[in-house]
Amino acid sequence: MAIWKREVSIELITQRNLNTMAHHLGIEYQGLTDDSLAATMPVDERTRQPLGIMHGGASCVLAETVGSVAANYCVDEGHYCVGLDINTNHIRSVREGRVVAVAKPFHLGKSTQVWGIEICNEAGQLVSVNRLTMAVLARA
């Protein structure tokens, strides 16, 4: 059974993210299943730190972006979600290529959501594990 409460597609998500940080960093949405959303991000001059590896903050941006986008499609039109907390554990460094983030929910509640986001390199090796807590708020 699908977790989505509103119409969702890669095309809608991509359009909604034009002219945002996600767009600036080259984040592209790649996969949508009944219970997950996946996106990729390049490891390049926009996302590397001075040591030549992907910046830890870029991992957090990718995780929060894909988790937040997913969360907002799991509430009805009268609600929206904003981030409360993100926790990232960095496992492996990446110097080039693309990373893939997959967000899946642990909990979809009335007032909070908790998401798990795994980021992997192109070889499928785990780069980071992330937990994102979202607040579910009513639109005014």
Side-chain angles (χ1 to χ4, degrees):
M1 178 181 236
I3 60 174
W4 316 114
K5 294 192 175 182
R6 297 191 282 161
E7 179 186 352
V8 61
S9 69
I10 296 297
E11 294 77 20
L12 284 170
I13 295 169
T14 299
Q15 185 66 32
R16 185 175 180 189
N17 282 270
L18 290 176
N19 301 313
T20 66
M21 180 184 283
H23 183 244
H24 174 72
L25 293 180
I27 295 172
E28 296 178 352
Y29 300 92
Q30 301 290 321
L32 180 65
T33 69
D34 282 349
D35 69 347
S36 71
L37 177 63
T40 65
M41 182 179 72
V43 179
D44 62 16
E45 69 282 353
R46 296 170 290 181
T47 56
R48 280 191 206 106
Q49 48 117 304
L51 293 175
I53 59 176
M54 185 172 67
H55 194 290
S59 292
C60 291
V61 168
L62 176 58
E64 184 153 357
T65 297
V66 71
S68 278
V69 167
N72 275 285
Y73 283 98
C74 291
V75 293
D76 61 40
E77 293 287 342
H79 292 85
Y80 65 101
C81 297
V82 294
L84 282 177
D85 181 67
I86 187 163
N87 172 274
T88 299
N89 292 103
H90 304 289
I91 310 291
R92 169 179 283 106
S93 63
V94 179
R95 292 190 173 277
E96 61 186 6
R98 296 187 78 77
V99 291
V100 179
V102 178
K104 288 186 168 194
F106 291 127
H107 168 72
L108 297 174
K110 291 182 182 181
S111 60
T112 62
Q113 296 182 3
V114 181
W115 289 80
I117 302 99
E118 289 190 352
I119 299 176
C120 295
N121 62 19
E122 291 176 309
Q125 297 170 310
L126 193 60
V127 171
S128 70
V129 292
N130 308 267
R131 186 186 67 246
L132 175 65
T133 304
M134 304 293 292
V136 179
L137 304 173
R139 293 193 186 277

